[in-house]
Amino acid sequence: MALENRLKEHRARLGINQADMGKLAGVSRQTISLIERGDYSPSVTLALKLAKICQVTVEDIFTYTEDGEDE
C-alpha cells in the first residue's frame, strides 16, 4: 500500500518553503520534508490542515493505492 502525495507541488504553487509550511501546519520543517518524500504518513488531522492551507481537498494532495492496484 502506498500513500502518494503532491504536497510539494501545492507548496510551490503557494510560494512557501518547507519551514513556513510547517509553521502554518504546526509541525516541523522535517515533518513536511518526510511527508513530501513519502517517508511519513500524516495523521488525518494534519492531512486536513495541509489541505486547508493549500485551499484544496485532501484528495488533491494525497492518493492512496493498494498494492497491485493500477492507476
Side-chain angles (χ1 to χ4, degrees):
M1 74 184 147
L3 183 66
E4 298 174 9
N5 74 80
R6 297 175 52 208
L7 181 58
K8 186 174 183 177
E9 294 171 43
H10 288 285
R11 183 175 56 75
R13 179 181 51 81
L14 294 172
I16 59 176
N17 60 32
Q18 290 178 340
D20 290 338
M21 177 65 83
K23 286 177 188 172
L24 290 170
V27 297
S28 68
R29 179 205 59 79
Q30 292 86 350
T31 298
I32 299 300
S33 177
L34 288 168
I35 293 168
E36 289 182 356
R37 289 193 326 244
D39 293 336
Y40 177 77
S41 295
S43 67
V44 172
T45 303
L46 180 53
L48 288 167
K49 280 185 189 179
L50 293 170
K52 187 173 185 175
I53 292 165
C54 295
Q55 299 177 344
V56 296
T57 66
V58 173
E59 292 84 2
D60 288 333
I61 300 176
F62 298 99
T63 305
Y64 173 78
T65 55
E66 294 282 343
D67 288 334
E69 187 177 302
D70 292 335
E71 285 198 69

Short mmCIF file of all heavy atoms in Angstrom, two decimals:
data_model
loop_
_atom_site.label_atom_id
_atom_site.label_comp_id
_atom_site.label_asym_id
_atom_site.label_seq_id
_atom_site.Cartn_x
_atom_site.Cartn_y
_atom_site.Cartn_z
N MET A 1 0.84 -1.17 0.00
CA MET A 1 0.00 0.00 0.00
C MET A 1 0.89 1.24 0.00
O MET A 1 1.97 1.23 0.56
CB MET A 1 -0.95 -0.01 1.18
CG MET A 1 -0.34 0.28 2.51
SD MET A 1 -1.55 0.11 3.81
CE MET A 1 -0.47 -0.46 5.08
N ALA A 2 0.42 2.25 -0.64
CA ALA A 2 1.23 3.46 -0.76
C ALA A 2 0.35 4.70 -0.64
O ALA A 2 -0.75 4.75 -1.19
CB ALA A 2 1.94 3.45 -2.10
N LEU A 3 0.87 5.66 0.08
CA LEU A 3 0.22 6.96 0.17
C LEU A 3 1.09 7.93 -0.60
O LEU A 3 2.18 8.28 -0.15
CB LEU A 3 0.06 7.39 1.62
CG LEU A 3 -0.68 8.72 1.83
CD1 LEU A 3 -2.14 8.58 1.38
CD2 LEU A 3 -0.62 9.14 3.28
N GLU A 4 0.64 8.29 -1.77
CA GLU A 4 1.39 9.23 -2.60
C GLU A 4 0.85 10.62 -2.35
O GLU A 4 -0.30 10.79 -1.95
CB GLU A 4 1.25 8.85 -4.07
CG GLU A 4 1.81 7.47 -4.36
CD GLU A 4 1.55 7.02 -5.78
OE1 GLU A 4 1.08 7.84 -6.59
OE2 GLU A 4 1.82 5.85 -6.07
N ASN A 5 1.70 11.63 -2.58
CA ASN A 5 1.22 12.98 -2.34
C ASN A 5 1.81 13.98 -3.32
O ASN A 5 2.84 13.73 -3.95
CB ASN A 5 1.52 13.40 -0.90
CG ASN A 5 2.97 13.71 -0.67
OD1 ASN A 5 3.43 14.79 -1.01
ND2 ASN A 5 3.71 12.76 -0.10
N ARG A 6 1.13 15.09 -3.43
CA ARG A 6 1.54 16.19 -4.30
C ARG A 6 1.73 17.46 -3.45
O ARG A 6 1.54 18.56 -3.92
CB ARG A 6 0.48 16.42 -5.37
CG ARG A 6 0.31 15.22 -6.29
CD ARG A 6 -0.82 15.40 -7.29
NE ARG A 6 -0.69 16.66 -8.00
CZ ARG A 6 -1.72 17.34 -8.50
NH1 ARG A 6 -2.94 16.88 -8.37
NH2 ARG A 6 -1.54 18.47 -9.13
N LEU A 7 2.15 17.26 -2.20
CA LEU A 7 2.30 18.39 -1.30
C LEU A 7 3.33 19.38 -1.80
O LEU A 7 3.12 20.59 -1.74
CB LEU A 7 2.67 17.90 0.11
CG LEU A 7 2.83 18.99 1.17
CD1 LEU A 7 1.55 19.81 1.31
CD2 LEU A 7 3.23 18.38 2.50
N LYS A 8 4.44 18.88 -2.32
CA LYS A 8 5.50 19.78 -2.81
C LYS A 8 4.97 20.69 -3.91
O LYS A 8 5.28 21.89 -3.94
CB LYS A 8 6.69 18.96 -3.31
CG LYS A 8 7.88 19.80 -3.69
CD LYS A 8 9.06 18.93 -4.04
CE LYS A 8 10.28 19.77 -4.34
NZ LYS A 8 11.46 18.94 -4.61
N GLU A 9 4.16 20.14 -4.82
CA GLU A 9 3.59 20.94 -5.91
C GLU A 9 2.68 22.04 -5.36
O GLU A 9 2.75 23.19 -5.80
CB GLU A 9 2.76 20.06 -6.85
CG GLU A 9 3.56 19.03 -7.61
CD GLU A 9 2.65 18.07 -8.35
OE1 GLU A 9 1.65 18.52 -8.95
OE2 GLU A 9 2.93 16.85 -8.31
N HIS A 10 1.84 21.68 -4.41
CA HIS A 10 0.92 22.66 -3.84
C HIS A 10 1.66 23.71 -3.02
O HIS A 10 1.32 24.89 -3.07
CB HIS A 10 -0.16 21.96 -3.00
CG HIS A 10 -1.15 21.21 -3.82
ND1 HIS A 10 -2.13 21.82 -4.55
CD2 HIS A 10 -1.29 19.88 -4.05
CE1 HIS A 10 -2.85 20.92 -5.17
NE2 HIS A 10 -2.35 19.73 -4.88
N ARG A 11 2.70 23.29 -2.32
CA ARG A 11 3.50 24.23 -1.55
C ARG A 11 4.22 25.21 -2.49
O ARG A 11 4.25 26.43 -2.24
CB ARG A 11 4.52 23.46 -0.69
CG ARG A 11 5.36 24.33 0.19
CD ARG A 11 6.24 23.51 1.11
NE ARG A 11 7.11 22.56 0.42
CZ ARG A 11 8.21 22.90 -0.25
NH1 ARG A 11 8.59 24.16 -0.34
NH2 ARG A 11 8.94 21.96 -0.82
N ALA A 12 4.75 24.69 -3.58
CA ALA A 12 5.42 25.55 -4.56
C ALA A 12 4.45 26.55 -5.18
O ALA A 12 4.80 27.71 -5.42
CB ALA A 12 6.07 24.69 -5.64
N ARG A 13 3.23 26.09 -5.43
CA ARG A 13 2.21 26.98 -6.00
C ARG A 13 1.93 28.15 -5.07
O ARG A 13 1.71 29.28 -5.51
CB ARG A 13 0.92 26.19 -6.27
CG ARG A 13 -0.23 27.01 -6.84
CD ARG A 13 -1.48 26.18 -7.06
NE ARG A 13 -1.91 25.39 -5.93
CZ ARG A 13 -2.61 25.86 -4.88
NH1 ARG A 13 -2.95 27.13 -4.82
NH2 ARG A 13 -2.97 25.06 -3.90
N LEU A 14 1.99 27.89 -3.77
CA LEU A 14 1.77 28.94 -2.78
C LEU A 14 3.01 29.82 -2.59
O LEU A 14 2.94 30.89 -1.99
CB LEU A 14 1.38 28.34 -1.44
CG LEU A 14 0.04 27.61 -1.38
CD1 LEU A 14 -0.12 26.90 -0.05
CD2 LEU A 14 -1.10 28.57 -1.62
N GLY A 15 4.16 29.33 -3.07
CA GLY A 15 5.40 30.08 -2.95
C GLY A 15 5.97 30.10 -1.54
O GLY A 15 6.59 31.09 -1.13
N ILE A 16 5.77 29.01 -0.80
CA ILE A 16 6.30 28.95 0.56
C ILE A 16 7.26 27.77 0.70
O ILE A 16 7.13 26.76 0.00
CB ILE A 16 5.19 28.88 1.63
CG1 ILE A 16 4.30 27.66 1.45
CG2 ILE A 16 4.36 30.15 1.63
CD1 ILE A 16 3.24 27.49 2.52
N ASN A 17 8.22 27.92 1.60
CA ASN A 17 9.18 26.84 1.81
C ASN A 17 8.67 25.85 2.86
O ASN A 17 7.61 26.05 3.45
CB ASN A 17 10.55 27.42 2.19
CG ASN A 17 10.54 28.23 3.46
OD1 ASN A 17 9.76 27.95 4.39
ND2 ASN A 17 11.39 29.24 3.54
N GLN A 18 9.45 24.79 3.06
CA GLN A 18 9.02 23.75 3.99
C GLN A 18 8.88 24.27 5.42
O GLN A 18 7.96 23.89 6.14
CB GLN A 18 10.01 22.58 3.97
CG GLN A 18 9.97 21.77 2.69
CD GLN A 18 10.99 20.66 2.68
OE1 GLN A 18 11.98 20.68 3.42
NE2 GLN A 18 10.77 19.67 1.83
N ALA A 19 9.78 25.16 5.82
CA ALA A 19 9.72 25.70 7.18
C ALA A 19 8.44 26.50 7.40
O ALA A 19 7.77 26.36 8.43
CB ALA A 19 10.95 26.57 7.46
N ASP A 20 8.10 27.32 6.41
CA ASP A 20 6.87 28.12 6.53
C ASP A 20 5.62 27.24 6.52
O ASP A 20 4.68 27.48 7.27
CB ASP A 20 6.78 29.16 5.42
CG ASP A 20 7.81 30.27 5.58
OD1 ASP A 20 8.29 30.48 6.71
OD2 ASP A 20 8.14 30.92 4.57
N MET A 21 5.63 26.20 5.68
CA MET A 21 4.50 25.27 5.65
C MET A 21 4.37 24.57 7.00
O MET A 21 3.28 24.42 7.54
CB MET A 21 4.68 24.23 4.54
CG MET A 21 3.57 23.18 4.48
SD MET A 21 1.94 23.82 4.08
CE MET A 21 2.06 23.89 2.31
N GLY A 22 5.51 24.19 7.56
CA GLY A 22 5.50 23.55 8.87
C GLY A 22 4.91 24.46 9.94
O GLY A 22 4.10 24.03 10.75
N LYS A 23 5.31 25.72 9.93
CA LYS A 23 4.78 26.69 10.91
C LYS A 23 3.27 26.83 10.77
O LYS A 23 2.55 26.85 11.76
CB LYS A 23 5.45 28.04 10.74
CG LYS A 23 6.87 28.09 11.24
CD LYS A 23 7.50 29.44 10.99
CE LYS A 23 8.97 29.41 11.32
NZ LYS A 23 9.67 30.64 10.91
N LEU A 24 2.80 26.94 9.53
CA LEU A 24 1.37 27.08 9.29
C LEU A 24 0.59 25.86 9.78
O LEU A 24 -0.53 25.98 10.26
CB LEU A 24 1.09 27.32 7.81
CG LEU A 24 1.52 28.67 7.24
CD1 LEU A 24 1.42 28.67 5.72
CD2 LEU A 24 0.68 29.79 7.83
N ALA A 25 1.20 24.68 9.62
CA ALA A 25 0.54 23.43 9.99
C ALA A 25 0.81 23.00 11.43
O ALA A 25 0.22 22.04 11.92
CB ALA A 25 0.96 22.31 9.04
N GLY A 26 1.73 23.69 12.11
CA GLY A 26 2.05 23.34 13.48
C GLY A 26 2.96 22.14 13.62
O GLY A 26 2.92 21.43 14.62
N VAL A 27 3.81 21.92 12.59
CA VAL A 27 4.78 20.82 12.64
C VAL A 27 6.14 21.36 12.21
O VAL A 27 6.27 22.51 11.80
CB VAL A 27 4.36 19.64 11.72
CG1 VAL A 27 3.06 19.02 12.18
CG2 VAL A 27 4.26 20.07 10.26
N SER A 28 7.15 20.53 12.28
CA SER A 28 8.50 20.96 11.91
C SER A 28 8.71 20.91 10.40
O SER A 28 7.96 20.27 9.66
CB SER A 28 9.53 20.06 12.58
OG SER A 28 9.47 18.75 12.03
N ARG A 29 9.78 21.58 9.97
CA ARG A 29 10.17 21.52 8.56
C ARG A 29 10.49 20.08 8.18
O ARG A 29 10.17 19.62 7.09
CB ARG A 29 11.40 22.41 8.31
CG ARG A 29 11.88 22.35 6.85
CD ARG A 29 13.35 22.70 6.69
NE ARG A 29 14.26 21.83 7.43
CZ ARG A 29 14.63 20.61 7.02
NH1 ARG A 29 14.15 20.08 5.90
NH2 ARG A 29 15.47 19.90 7.74
N GLN A 30 11.12 19.36 9.12
CA GLN A 30 11.48 17.97 8.85
C GLN A 30 10.26 17.11 8.59
O GLN A 30 10.29 16.21 7.73
CB GLN A 30 12.29 17.39 10.03
CG GLN A 30 13.66 18.01 10.18
CD GLN A 30 13.68 19.29 11.02
OE1 GLN A 30 12.64 19.86 11.36
NE2 GLN A 30 14.87 19.76 11.34
N THR A 31 9.17 17.37 9.30
CA THR A 31 7.93 16.61 9.08
C THR A 31 7.41 16.85 7.67
O THR A 31 7.01 15.91 6.97
CB THR A 31 6.87 16.98 10.13
OG1 THR A 31 7.36 16.64 11.42
CG2 THR A 31 5.56 16.25 9.87
N ILE A 32 7.42 18.10 7.23
CA ILE A 32 6.97 18.42 5.87
C ILE A 32 7.86 17.71 4.85
O ILE A 32 7.38 17.12 3.88
CB ILE A 32 6.96 19.95 5.63
CG1 ILE A 32 6.00 20.65 6.60
CG2 ILE A 32 6.62 20.26 4.17
CD1 ILE A 32 4.56 20.21 6.50
N SER A 33 9.17 17.73 5.09
CA SER A 33 10.11 17.04 4.20
C SER A 33 9.82 15.55 4.13
O SER A 33 9.80 14.95 3.04
CB SER A 33 11.54 17.28 4.67
OG SER A 33 12.46 16.57 3.88
N LEU A 34 9.59 14.93 5.28
CA LEU A 34 9.30 13.50 5.33
C LEU A 34 8.01 13.16 4.58
O LEU A 34 7.94 12.15 3.86
CB LEU A 34 9.20 13.02 6.78
CG LEU A 34 10.51 12.93 7.56
CD1 LEU A 34 10.23 12.72 9.04
CD2 LEU A 34 11.39 11.82 7.01
N ILE A 35 7.00 14.00 4.74
CA ILE A 35 5.74 13.77 4.03
C ILE A 35 5.97 13.87 2.53
O ILE A 35 5.53 13.01 1.77
CB ILE A 35 4.65 14.77 4.49
CG1 ILE A 35 4.26 14.51 5.94
CG2 ILE A 35 3.42 14.68 3.58
CD1 ILE A 35 3.40 15.62 6.55
N GLU A 36 6.66 14.92 2.09
CA GLU A 36 6.89 15.12 0.66
C GLU A 36 7.68 13.97 0.04
O GLU A 36 7.44 13.59 -1.10
CB GLU A 36 7.62 16.44 0.42
CG GLU A 36 6.75 17.65 0.67
CD GLU A 36 7.43 18.97 0.40
OE1 GLU A 36 8.65 18.99 0.09
OE2 GLU A 36 6.75 20.00 0.48
N ARG A 37 8.62 13.41 0.80
CA ARG A 37 9.41 12.28 0.30
C ARG A 37 8.66 10.95 0.36
O ARG A 37 9.12 9.94 -0.18
CB ARG A 37 10.70 12.14 1.11
CG ARG A 37 11.69 13.25 0.84
CD ARG A 37 13.08 12.94 1.40
NE ARG A 37 13.07 12.16 2.62
CZ ARG A 37 13.53 12.60 3.79
NH1 ARG A 37 13.99 13.81 3.92
NH2 ARG A 37 13.51 11.81 4.85
N GLY A 38 7.52 10.95 1.05
CA GLY A 38 6.76 9.71 1.18
C GLY A 38 7.26 8.82 2.29
O GLY A 38 6.90 7.64 2.36
N ASP A 39 8.09 9.37 3.18
CA ASP A 39 8.64 8.59 4.29
C ASP A 39 7.80 8.69 5.56
O ASP A 39 8.13 8.07 6.57
CB ASP A 39 10.06 9.06 4.60
CG ASP A 39 11.03 8.74 3.48
OD1 ASP A 39 10.76 7.81 2.70
OD2 ASP A 39 12.07 9.42 3.39
N TYR A 40 6.73 9.48 5.52
CA TYR A 40 5.87 9.67 6.70
C TYR A 40 4.45 9.90 6.23
O TYR A 40 4.21 10.70 5.33
CB TYR A 40 6.37 10.88 7.50
CG TYR A 40 5.52 11.22 8.70
CD1 TYR A 40 5.62 10.48 9.87
CD2 TYR A 40 4.65 12.30 8.68
CE1 TYR A 40 4.85 10.79 10.98
CE2 TYR A 40 3.88 12.63 9.78
CZ TYR A 40 3.98 11.87 10.93
OH TYR A 40 3.23 12.18 12.02
N SER A 41 3.53 9.16 6.81
CA SER A 41 2.11 9.35 6.51
C SER A 41 1.50 10.22 7.60
O SER A 41 1.53 9.84 8.77
CB SER A 41 1.38 8.00 6.46
OG SER A 41 1.87 7.22 5.40
N PRO A 42 0.96 11.37 7.21
CA PRO A 42 0.42 12.28 8.22
C PRO A 42 -0.86 11.74 8.84
O PRO A 42 -1.56 10.92 8.25
CB PRO A 42 0.14 13.56 7.44
CG PRO A 42 -0.14 13.08 6.06
CD PRO A 42 0.78 11.90 5.86
N SER A 43 -1.16 12.24 10.03
CA SER A 43 -2.44 11.91 10.65
C SER A 43 -3.56 12.53 9.82
O SER A 43 -3.32 13.41 8.99
CB SER A 43 -2.49 12.49 12.07
OG SER A 43 -2.50 13.91 12.02
N VAL A 44 -4.77 12.09 10.05
CA VAL A 44 -5.92 12.67 9.36
C VAL A 44 -6.00 14.17 9.66
O VAL A 44 -6.22 14.98 8.76
CB VAL A 44 -7.22 11.96 9.76
CG1 VAL A 44 -8.43 12.67 9.20
CG2 VAL A 44 -7.19 10.50 9.33
N THR A 45 -5.78 14.53 10.91
CA THR A 45 -5.84 15.94 11.30
C THR A 45 -4.81 16.77 10.54
O THR A 45 -5.12 17.84 10.01
CB THR A 45 -5.61 16.10 12.82
OG1 THR A 45 -6.59 15.32 13.50
CG2 THR A 45 -5.72 17.55 13.24
N LEU A 46 -3.58 16.27 10.45
CA LEU A 46 -2.54 17.00 9.74
C LEU A 46 -2.84 17.07 8.24
O LEU A 46 -2.64 18.11 7.61
CB LEU A 46 -1.16 16.37 9.99
CG LEU A 46 0.02 17.04 9.30
CD1 LEU A 46 0.08 18.54 9.59
CD2 LEU A 46 1.32 16.35 9.69
N ALA A 47 -3.33 15.98 7.68
CA ALA A 47 -3.68 15.99 6.25
C ALA A 47 -4.76 17.03 5.97
O ALA A 47 -4.70 17.76 4.97
CB ALA A 47 -4.15 14.59 5.82
N LEU A 48 -5.74 17.13 6.87
CA LEU A 48 -6.80 18.12 6.71
C LEU A 48 -6.24 19.55 6.84
O LEU A 48 -6.63 20.44 6.08
CB LEU A 48 -7.91 17.89 7.73
CG LEU A 48 -8.78 16.66 7.47
CD1 LEU A 48 -9.62 16.34 8.70
CD2 LEU A 48 -9.65 16.85 6.26
N LYS A 49 -5.33 19.76 7.79
CA LYS A 49 -4.71 21.08 7.95
C LYS A 49 -3.95 21.47 6.69
O LYS A 49 -4.04 22.61 6.23
CB LYS A 49 -3.73 21.07 9.13
CG LYS A 49 -4.34 21.20 10.47
CD LYS A 49 -3.24 21.30 11.52
CE LYS A 49 -3.76 21.23 12.92
NZ LYS A 49 -2.68 21.29 13.91
N LEU A 50 -3.17 20.53 6.15
CA LEU A 50 -2.39 20.82 4.95
C LEU A 50 -3.30 21.16 3.77
O LEU A 50 -3.01 22.08 3.00
CB LEU A 50 -1.48 19.64 4.62
CG LEU A 50 -0.36 19.37 5.64
CD1 LEU A 50 0.31 18.03 5.34
CD2 LEU A 50 0.64 20.51 5.66
N ALA A 51 -4.38 20.42 3.64
CA ALA A 51 -5.33 20.70 2.55
C ALA A 51 -5.95 22.08 2.72
O ALA A 51 -6.09 22.83 1.75
CB ALA A 51 -6.41 19.63 2.51
N LYS A 52 -6.28 22.43 3.95
CA LYS A 52 -6.88 23.75 4.21
C LYS A 52 -5.88 24.86 3.89
O LYS A 52 -6.24 25.87 3.28
CB LYS A 52 -7.33 23.84 5.66
CG LYS A 52 -8.10 25.09 5.99
CD LYS A 52 -8.67 25.04 7.39
CE LYS A 52 -9.54 26.26 7.66
NZ LYS A 52 -10.19 26.18 8.96
N ILE A 53 -4.63 24.68 4.29
CA ILE A 53 -3.59 25.67 3.98
C ILE A 53 -3.45 25.85 2.47
O ILE A 53 -3.32 26.97 1.97
CB ILE A 53 -2.25 25.24 4.60
CG1 ILE A 53 -2.33 25.32 6.12
CG2 ILE A 53 -1.10 26.10 4.07
CD1 ILE A 53 -1.20 24.59 6.84
N CYS A 54 -3.48 24.73 1.74
CA CYS A 54 -3.32 24.77 0.28
C CYS A 54 -4.61 25.14 -0.45
O CYS A 54 -4.62 25.31 -1.65
CB CYS A 54 -2.83 23.42 -0.23
SG CYS A 54 -1.18 22.99 0.36
N GLN A 55 -5.71 25.22 0.30
CA GLN A 55 -7.03 25.55 -0.24
C GLN A 55 -7.48 24.56 -1.31
O GLN A 55 -7.99 24.93 -2.37
CB GLN A 55 -7.05 26.98 -0.79
CG GLN A 55 -6.75 28.01 0.27
CD GLN A 55 -6.70 29.43 -0.26
OE1 GLN A 55 -6.59 29.66 -1.46
NE2 GLN A 55 -6.77 30.38 0.65
N VAL A 56 -7.25 23.27 -0.99
CA VAL A 56 -7.68 22.17 -1.86
C VAL A 56 -8.26 21.08 -0.98
O VAL A 56 -8.23 21.18 0.25
CB VAL A 56 -6.50 21.62 -2.71
CG1 VAL A 56 -5.96 22.66 -3.66
CG2 VAL A 56 -5.39 21.08 -1.81
N THR A 57 -8.76 20.02 -1.58
CA THR A 57 -9.25 18.88 -0.81
C THR A 57 -8.08 17.96 -0.45
O THR A 57 -7.02 18.02 -1.09
CB THR A 57 -10.30 18.07 -1.58
OG1 THR A 57 -9.66 17.47 -2.71
CG2 THR A 57 -11.46 18.94 -2.03
N VAL A 58 -8.28 17.13 0.55
CA VAL A 58 -7.25 16.16 0.93
C VAL A 58 -6.91 15.28 -0.27
O VAL A 58 -5.74 14.96 -0.50
CB VAL A 58 -7.73 15.30 2.13
CG1 VAL A 58 -6.76 14.18 2.41
CG2 VAL A 58 -7.92 16.17 3.35
N GLU A 59 -7.93 14.92 -1.04
CA GLU A 59 -7.70 14.05 -2.20
C GLU A 59 -6.87 14.72 -3.28
O GLU A 59 -6.26 14.04 -4.10
CB GLU A 59 -9.04 13.59 -2.79
CG GLU A 59 -9.82 12.65 -1.89
CD GLU A 59 -10.65 13.37 -0.83
OE1 GLU A 59 -10.66 14.62 -0.80
OE2 GLU A 59 -11.28 12.69 -0.01
N ASP A 60 -6.85 16.05 -3.31
CA ASP A 60 -5.99 16.75 -4.27
C ASP A 60 -4.52 16.60 -3.91
O ASP A 60 -3.66 16.68 -4.77
CB ASP A 60 -6.34 18.24 -4.32
CG ASP A 60 -7.67 18.51 -5.02
OD1 ASP A 60 -8.08 17.70 -5.87
OD2 ASP A 60 -8.29 19.54 -4.68
N ILE A 61 -4.24 16.38 -2.64
CA ILE A 61 -2.85 16.24 -2.19
C ILE A 61 -2.45 14.78 -2.04
O ILE A 61 -1.40 14.37 -2.51
CB ILE A 61 -2.64 16.96 -0.84
CG1 ILE A 61 -2.94 18.44 -0.98
CG2 ILE A 61 -1.20 16.75 -0.34
CD1 ILE A 61 -2.84 19.23 0.32
N PHE A 62 -3.31 13.98 -1.39
CA PHE A 62 -2.95 12.61 -1.05
C PHE A 62 -3.76 11.59 -1.86
O PHE A 62 -4.97 11.72 -2.00
CB PHE A 62 -3.18 12.36 0.44
CG PHE A 62 -2.32 13.23 1.31
CD1 PHE A 62 -2.83 14.38 1.87
CD2 PHE A 62 -0.99 12.91 1.55
CE1 PHE A 62 -2.05 15.20 2.68
CE2 PHE A 62 -0.20 13.72 2.35
CZ PHE A 62 -0.73 14.87 2.90
N THR A 63 -3.06 10.56 -2.34
CA THR A 63 -3.69 9.47 -3.08
C THR A 63 -3.23 8.16 -2.47
O THR A 63 -2.03 7.91 -2.34
CB THR A 63 -3.28 9.50 -4.57
OG1 THR A 63 -3.56 10.77 -5.10
CG2 THR A 63 -4.03 8.43 -5.35
N TYR A 64 -4.19 7.33 -2.09
CA TYR A 64 -3.89 6.02 -1.51
C TYR A 64 -4.13 4.95 -2.55
O TYR A 64 -5.16 4.92 -3.21
CB TYR A 64 -4.77 5.76 -0.29
CG TYR A 64 -4.63 4.37 0.27
CD1 TYR A 64 -3.55 4.04 1.05
CD2 TYR A 64 -5.58 3.41 -0.01
CE1 TYR A 64 -3.40 2.75 1.56
CE2 TYR A 64 -5.44 2.12 0.49
CZ TYR A 64 -4.35 1.81 1.27
OH TYR A 64 -4.21 0.54 1.75
N THR A 65 -3.15 4.06 -2.70
CA THR A 65 -3.31 2.93 -3.62
C THR A 65 -2.95 1.63 -2.90
O THR A 65 -2.01 1.60 -2.11
CB THR A 65 -2.43 3.08 -4.88
OG1 THR A 65 -1.08 3.26 -4.47
CG2 THR A 65 -2.86 4.26 -5.72
N GLU A 66 -3.72 0.61 -3.17
CA GLU A 66 -3.42 -0.74 -2.64
C GLU A 66 -2.29 -1.34 -3.48
O GLU A 66 -2.11 -0.98 -4.63
CB GLU A 66 -4.65 -1.64 -2.76
CG GLU A 66 -5.81 -1.21 -1.90
CD GLU A 66 -5.64 -1.60 -0.43
OE1 GLU A 66 -4.80 -2.47 -0.13
OE2 GLU A 66 -6.34 -1.02 0.40
N ASP A 67 -1.57 -2.28 -2.91
CA ASP A 67 -0.54 -3.00 -3.66
C ASP A 67 -1.17 -3.68 -4.87
O ASP A 67 -2.23 -4.30 -4.75
CB ASP A 67 0.14 -4.04 -2.79
CG ASP A 67 1.05 -3.41 -1.76
OD1 ASP A 67 1.53 -2.29 -2.00
OD2 ASP A 67 1.28 -4.05 -0.71
N GLY A 68 -0.54 -3.51 -6.02
CA GLY A 68 -1.03 -4.15 -7.23
C GLY A 68 -2.16 -3.42 -7.92
O GLY A 68 -2.64 -3.86 -8.96
N GLU A 69 -2.59 -2.31 -7.37
CA GLU A 69 -3.68 -1.54 -7.97
C GLU A 69 -3.10 -0.62 -9.03
O GLU A 69 -2.14 0.10 -8.80
CB GLU A 69 -4.36 -0.71 -6.88
CG GLU A 69 -5.62 0.00 -7.34
CD GLU A 69 -6.29 0.73 -6.19
OE1 GLU A 69 -6.64 0.07 -5.19
OE2 GLU A 69 -6.44 1.95 -6.29
N ASP A 70 -3.67 -0.67 -10.22
CA ASP A 70 -3.21 0.19 -11.32
C ASP A 70 -3.95 1.49 -11.31
O ASP A 70 -5.13 1.56 -11.01
CB ASP A 70 -3.43 -0.50 -12.68
CG ASP A 70 -2.52 -1.71 -12.85
OD1 ASP A 70 -1.46 -1.75 -12.20
OD2 ASP A 70 -2.87 -2.60 -13.64
N GLU A 71 -3.22 2.56 -11.68
CA GLU A 71 -3.87 3.86 -11.80
C GLU A 71 -3.85 4.30 -13.23
O GLU A 71 -2.99 4.11 -13.97
CB GLU A 71 -3.18 4.91 -10.94
CG GLU A 71 -3.52 4.71 -9.50
CD GLU A 71 -3.21 5.96 -8.70
OE1 GLU A 71 -3.91 6.97 -8.89
OE2 GLU A 71 -2.29 5.91 -7.90
#
